[in-house]
Amino acid sequence: MTDSTKTLCPYCGVGCGLDVTPPAQRGQATNRDSEGRPIWKVRGDRAHPSSHGMVCVKGATISESLDKDRLKYPMMRDSLDEPFRQVSWEDALEAITNRMRKLLVTKGADAICMYGSGQFQTEDYYIAQKLLKGCLGTNNFDANSRLCMSSAVSGYIQSFGSDGPPCCYEDLELTDCAFLIGTNTAECHPIIFNRLRKHHKKNKKVKMIVVDPRRTETAEAADLHLAIRPGTDIDLLNGIAYLLMQWGHYDSVFIDECTAGFPEFSEVLQHYPPETVAQRCGISIADLETAARYWGESERVLSLWSMGVNQSSEGTAKVRHIINLHLMTGNIGKPGAGPFSLTGQPNAMGGREAGGLSHILPGYRLVKNPQHRQEVEQLWGLPAGQISPYPGRTAWDMITGLETGEVGLLWVAATNPAVSMPDLERTKAALKRSPFTVYQDAYYPTETATYAHVLLPAAQWSEKTGVMTNSERVVTLCPQFRNPPGEARADWEIFAEVGRRLGFVEQFSFKNSQEVYAEFTQLTRRRLCESTGISHERLQAHGPIQWPCQEGEEIFTAEAKRLYTEFRFPTPDGRARFSAYHSRGLAEPPDPNYPLVLTTGRLYGHWHTQTRTGRIPKIQQMHPNPFIEIHPRDAKPLGIEEDAWVEVRSRRGFARFPAKITKAIAPGTVFVPMHWGALWADNAEANALTHPQACPDSLQPELKACAVKLVPVATITEGEQFQPAVDQMFSSPLSV
Ligand SMILES: Nc1nc2c(c(=O)[nH]1)N[C@H]1C(S)=C(S)[C@@H](COP(=O)(O)OP(=O)(O)OC[C@H]3O[C@@H](n4cnc5c(=O)[nH]c(N)nc54)[C@H](O)[C@@H]3O)O[C@H]1N2
Ligand SMILES: Nc1nc2c(c(=O)[nH]1)N[C@H]1C(S)=C(S)[C@@H](COP(=O)(O)OP(=O)(O)OC[C@H]3O[C@@H](n4cnc5c(=O)[nH]c(N)nc54)[C@H](O)[C@@H]3O)O[C@H]1N2
Ligand code: SF4
Ligand SMILES: [Mo]
């Protein structure tokens, strides 16, 4: 036996394989962190099919964060004004279950909510669904994936009849044209980008188009960068389709035999001639034509997208219109082609399989479907009708439920909403009103701990065994190779213990996570995400496995799997659906009072709210401070110079940043990174400014755009401090 452990990087959805060795092996000197603690050595796992041994700076430095500022013991307090006191697990769990029992009698199960995360392992997700949706009978489980990929989920379901990205990473090396829209792949999915860039560099004929209001590192590498105005994606997509129609670049056999709804779509297209589209998007007609030409002349087009598409008040429509282009040109179900949504978090994909949003159930099932509910009830040994037919509260509905007093217990795990939710002033005010908040995290302090009554210490990656699924449906085992600090426990074990204490002893009698995963895979039988052929044992013995994978199936071929290779789709008639939307534009468009569009996003080194990366010196040096990107055309009239402090004001809040004046952002748009919460800087929260208006289908908030104005800090006099606007565009919070 070697001392090394094969596992998965616990950061992004690329899902790179890691090979981890303990500190000081075979007489080597031990690497130590700045405080003298030994550091585990991390390398890329060459045998991993998704990453071939590559890693980025986040994966390479992960082990430096594992022992810093950990939450080690359960803590409690009676009110938010008091300091926490350390308590036993017994006392903490009793407090939680007593509160739950009381609420079940006084207000019913729907007063209980859990807000989880794509950073759960699949076992954590699954047990949480069984507890909330099965045993308690409320669908009030939602995850931060609501802020992340729920538009991709609803787009796939509406167009194909089921969720599930049809592509795989091998397609990156087989495509003739990569269409990257609303994704800064170079910084956010670096190893996917490495694979694509190598292929692009090697093959002169291969094209890369990037659609992003910012000239990101990704855009720098493209043959064509379309710096569209935020929120004009549907105009662009319809504009490309208009030209493809006009030039006869469509696949009429595929359209006739494999799709429905084409006439309605082509009717919509009439309204998108190049002049109109170029003008709305703020690009040239020539560039629009080049994009259409690359689409039309390429045999295999692969679209990649992430938050610039999903985080939008018309996110589902954007996803569906990307898919329209693939249906119209027959670019699906074949190597090098297809609509490929990139998942953000390491196990956002596993969360989808396990039913980790408030409208879905395990095995790609829907809460609203009576047969689906029945199948799950049966497998869980619960009475018929136990699962509620109503979708539960989404992440944002949990916040408004606290405002109205309908939510009596909020349990937050593996996410930091006091930084990552929209409209933070309102979010924080609602959290302050919460009668009882449980916060289960690996680190302390974090911003959300400020709003908790009970803190539960979670074992994190490396300290518990479970699986994660990456963007290309590859499942990797992440074995435990260190001990959790103090009394920290795996998330699923905590949920299962609460279930047993509430009387569901049989439902939660698992001895280990291997058994949990085995039960979960039974719920995927004959579903698109079938994983009955996957188990901890098989993953341990043979390495990562891509689903679908049926029991007994030979899995040891290296061949990647694509969905829909027979061009039949899981809709009632087997045909994929065209959609026919017009662009509605932004939920909060700029106006004379708030003339700029603020967009928000990520930097290469940092991960979200910095709970890990903020504690790694190398990454802190890479991105020491927050900033705002402003185009010179917008900075000049306000007299804003490089590095000058600027106050950004929206109708809801303000934040202050040093200016970075750059032509790499479209005029009229400004950008701030999302990584700095209250713990890491003063008044630099991107979400102090954003709003919660969401896509009507996916209920995903428009975190990528809100209207703002800039005020140079030097010019602010006492009487001109920030005030929330009286003309709030959206319903304002209840008075506190
Ligand atoms: N380094 C790093 N990598 C990460 C993460 C991290 O925190 N740090 N997080 C992971 C997670 S959970 C996620 S979800 C992914 C996110 O990955 P990405 O989606 O690539 O990242 P973002 O920076 O949020 O947004 C992408 C781009 O959308 C653009 N954009 C804004 N508005 C629009 C628009 O209207 N239309 C178009 N076409 N583009 C627009 C922005 O300018 C931005 O460059 O990254 C994952 N990887
Ligand atoms: N303005 C703006 N806001 C955004 C976005 C944006 O682009 N712009 N992006 C949105 C998106 S896509 C996302 S995904 C969210 C991300 O936002 P969050 O989910 O709030 O961010 P993280 O910092 O990843 O928080 C994860 C937490 O889980 C803890 N953790 C890690 N592992 C474990 C574990 O195994 N168990 C437990 N219990 N805890 C663990 C970490 O310590 C950390 O506190 O932000 C959203 N908010
Ligand atoms: S690309 Fe993503 S999964 Fe790979 S090492 Fe970097 S953060 Fe980890
Ligand atoms: Mo995300």
Side-chain angles (χ1 to χ4, degrees):
M1 199 189 116
T2 72
D3 286 338
S4 87
T5 303
K6 288 198 172 199
T7 182
L8 190 76
C9 172
Y11 285 115
C12 87
V14 177
C16 297
L18 302 182
D19 201 327
V20 188
T21 39
Q25 215 193 350
R26 295 183 211 103
Q28 297 164 344
T30 306
N31 275 334
R32 292 184 182 275
D33 70 13
S34 49
E35 277 139 61
R37 286 173 294 235
I39 301 175
W40 288 66
K41 194 167 165 211
V42 177
R43 278 187 318 217
D45 171 10
R46 283 170 187 279
H48 198 286
S50 302
S51 53
H52 306 163
M54 292 180 274
V55 286
C56 77
V57 68
K58 294 181 291 303
T61 54
I62 173 67
S63 64
E64 292 179 43
S65 67
L66 297 177
D67 290 321
K68 291 182 182 159
D69 297 339
R70 293 296 301 273
L71 176 62
K72 294 182 180 159
Y73 306 99
M75 316 253 253
M76 277 209 300
R77 57 182 169 184
D78 297 322
S79 82
L80 300 188
D81 315 323
E82 294 173 16
F84 282 110
R85 57 184 192 279
Q86 188 181 325
V87 297
S88 65
W89 271 105
E90 178 64 31
D91 287 350
L93 294 174
E94 270 308 291
I96 294 168
T97 48
N98 281 341
R99 185 62 76 138
M100 283 187 170
R101 282 194 206 95
K102 213 183 281 167
L103 281 170
L104 288 172
V105 175
T106 55
K107 293 187 142 190
D110 286 337
I112 299 170
C113 291
M114 185 181 283
Y115 182 45
S117 152
Q119 290 165 72
F120 277 163
Q121 293 175 335
T122 301
E123 294 79 357
D124 304 321
Y125 257 121
Y126 175 69
I127 295 296
Q129 305 318 303
K130 197 172 183 182
L131 177 63
L132 274 276
K133 295 178 182 170
C135 297
L136 294 178
T138 173
N139 292 322
N140 287 344
F141 177 98
D142 211 38
N144 57 3
S145 299
R146 180 69 64 184
L147 313 179
C148 183
M149 25 95 327
S150 55
S151 296
V153 174
S154 54
Y156 280 134
I157 292 178
Q158 291 181 9
S159 291
F160 297 143
S162 171
D163 187 16
C167 313
C168 53
Y169 296 167
E170 213 180 72
D171 293 327
L172 299 164
E173 285 126 14
L174 295 170
T175 191
D176 301 318
C177 175
F179 181 69
L180 284 68
I181 176 163
T183 166
N184 183 5
T185 326
E187 294 197 62
C188 297
H189 294 92
I191 302 309
I192 286 184
F193 195 69
N194 281 1
R195 287 182 67 166
L196 178 64
R197 188 157 46 185
K198 262 190 221 159
H199 170 65
H200 181 233
K201 274 193 179 154
K202 232 179 18 205
N203 300 283
K204 286 262 150 16
K205 280 202 328 228
V206 171
K207 299 298 180 206
M208 195 196 292
I209 308 172
V210 171
V211 184
D212 193 311
R214 300 163 55 221
R215 194 173 74 232
T216 57
E217 231 182 272
T218 316
E220 295 277 358
D223 299 294
L224 177 66
H225 172 213
L226 300 172
I228 61 166
R229 285 199 188 95
T232 59
D233 300 75
I234 293 183
D235 296 297
L236 176 77
L237 295 162
N238 286 349
I240 293 174
Y242 177 101
L243 288 169
L244 292 174
M245 283 282 276
Q246 198 176 48
W247 298 339
H249 281 308
Y250 54 90
D251 183 339
S252 45
V253 177
F254 187 89
I255 294 171
D256 286 350
E257 295 187 359
C258 310
T259 70
F262 187 66
E264 293 81 355
F265 174 53
S266 33
E267 162 53 33
V268 159
L269 295 187
Q270 304 312 313
H271 304 275
Y272 294 84
E275 306 70 38
T276 311
V277 170
Q279 198 254 333
R280 282 195 202 151
C281 296
I283 58 172
S284 69
I285 294 181
D287 280 354
L288 172 64
E289 286 175 345
T290 306
R293 200 156 44 76
Y294 288 168
W295 262 92
E297 291 174 1
S298 303
E299 204 158 302
R300 298 142 182 245
V301 185
L302 182 69
S303 298
L304 303 173
W305 79 88
S306 41
M307 293 310 116
V309 168
N310 292 346
Q311 287 173 342
S312 157
S313 57
E314 47 185 8
T316 307
K318 284 190 188 182
V319 169
R320 294 203 63 195
H321 278 238
I322 295 172
I323 296 175
N324 281 351
L325 286 176
H326 286 270
L327 297 178
M328 136 178 224
T329 53
N331 263 303
I332 185 162
K334 60 183 190 187
F340 198 176
S341 124
L342 302 177
T343 47
Q345 299 174 89
N347 197 34
M349 193 70 113
R352 283 146 83 163
E353 295 153 22
L357 289 167
S358 64
H359 63 296
I360 59 177
L361 291 170
Y364 276 7
R365 291 181 175 85
L366 298 172
V367 157
K368 279 190 177 160
N369 183 316
Q371 194 189 330
H372 288 177
R373 293 197 301 276
Q374 199 189 10
E375 287 162 2
V376 178
E377 282 159 357
Q378 269 171 6
L379 260 141
W380 281 347
L382 294 169
Q386 173 69 15
I387 298 178
S388 161
Y390 306 108
R393 286 179 184 275
T394 65
W396 184 253
D397 293 339
M398 292 180 190
I399 297 300
T400 58
L402 291 172
E403 290 175 346
T404 57
E406 287 161 285
V407 172
L409 186 155
L410 175 66
W411 189 340
V412 180
T415 177
N416 195 0
V419 184
S420 54
M421 280 282 196
D423 196 350
L424 271 187
E425 220 25 66
R426 185 168 168 187
T427 295
K428 289 177 185 174
L431 289 171
K432 269 190 201 149
R433 292 167 70 118
S434 172
F436 195 75
T437 299
V438 181
Y439 186 51
Q440 181 168 315
D441 202 282
Y443 291 85
Y444 182 85
T446 69
E447 290 82 352
T448 303
T450 314
Y451 303 91
H453 300 92
V454 181
L455 295 178
L456 298 179
Q460 62 170 330
W461 173 88
S462 78
E463 299 155 2
K464 59 179 180 182
T465 296
V467 310
M468 298 215 192
T469 312
N470 72 7
S471 289
E472 61 161 350
R473 294 172 277 106
V474 165
V475 181
T476 304
L477 183 69
C478 308
Q480 178 181 351
F481 59 88
R482 305 161 63 246
N483 290 325
E487 296 177 7
R489 294 186 185 175
D491 296 286
W492 75 265
E493 288 184 50
I494 302 170
F495 303 147
E497 175 67 27
V498 166
R500 287 191 296 269
R501 283 170 185 252
L502 290 172
F504 301 97
V505 177
E506 204 165 301
Q507 276 82 4
F508 296 104
S509 62
F510 306 96
K511 284 201 288 294
N512 51 41
S513 61
Q514 193 169 328
E515 289 185 6
V516 176
Y517 189 67
E519 180 179 300
F520 158 68
T521 60
Q522 292 310 307
L523 273 158
T524 64
R525 193 178 295 283
R526 287 188 296 281
R527 306 292 306 161
L528 188 77
C529 60
E530 168 128 27
S531 310
T532 49
I534 312 180
S535 64
H536 282 204
E537 297 87 325
R538 267 188 134 180
L539 291 167
Q540 180 71 51
H542 302 289
I545 303 173
Q546 193 176 31
W547 63 252
C549 179
Q550 286 176 11
E551 203 161 11
E553 192 179 326
E554 185 58 61
I555 47 171
F556 317 123
T557 58
E559 211 168 301
K561 286 181 190 158
R562 292 174 188 88
L563 305 181
Y564 313 134
T565 49
E566 316 268 305
F567 311 127
R568 303 305 290 164
F569 299 89
T571 51
D573 58 8
R575 289 166 176 269
R577 300 281 186 270
F578 276 99
S579 59
Y581 289 98
H582 286 288
S583 173
R584 290 191 311 268
L586 299 174
E588 188 185 47
D591 65 13
N593 289 332
Y594 297 92
L596 300 169
V597 177
L598 170 79
T599 192
T600 64
R602 295 163 167 77
L603 307 176
Y604 171 62
H606 272 309
W607 179 260
H608 295 162
T609 72
Q610 302 197 40
T611 49
R612 286 180 183 134
T613 53
R615 295 177 165 102
I616 299 176
K618 183 175 173 186
I619 291 181
Q620 268 180 334
Q621 283 154 19
M622 196 181 260
H623 309 291
N625 296 306
F627 55 84
I628 179 165
E629 285 180 6
I630 313 172
H631 191 277
R633 201 198 74 181
D634 297 319
K636 202 155 174 226
L638 295 167
I640 298 170
E641 293 186 355
E642 183 76 9
D643 289 330
W645 281 85
V646 178
E647 185 164 299
V648 192
R649 294 178 180 175
S650 77
R651 287 183 172 78
R652 296 152 296 275
F654 76 98
R656 291 180 169 192
F657 307 92
K660 196 163 147 183
I661 315 252
T662 169
K663 287 189 178 152
I665 186 148
T669 306
V670 291
F671 167 84
V672 303
M674 65 166 290
H675 302 297
W676 278 268
L679 202 59
W680 301 97
D682 290 330
N683 298 321
E685 296 155 309
N687 284 321
L689 302 154
T690 56
H691 63 70
Q693 290 299 296
C695 165
D697 292 304
S698 67
L699 306 177
Q700 175 161 358
E702 187 157 80
L703 290 164
K704 280 287 175 274
C706 65
V708 297
K709 65 177 151 202
L710 305 182
V711 188
V713 170
T715 67
I716 301 175
T717 59
E718 207 149 294
E720 292 170 336
Q721 305 292 347
F722 167 79
Q723 296 283 337
V726 279
D727 68 326
Q728 288 287 349
M729 304 259 300
F730 316 115
S731 63
S732 51
L734 298 180
S735 55
V736 182

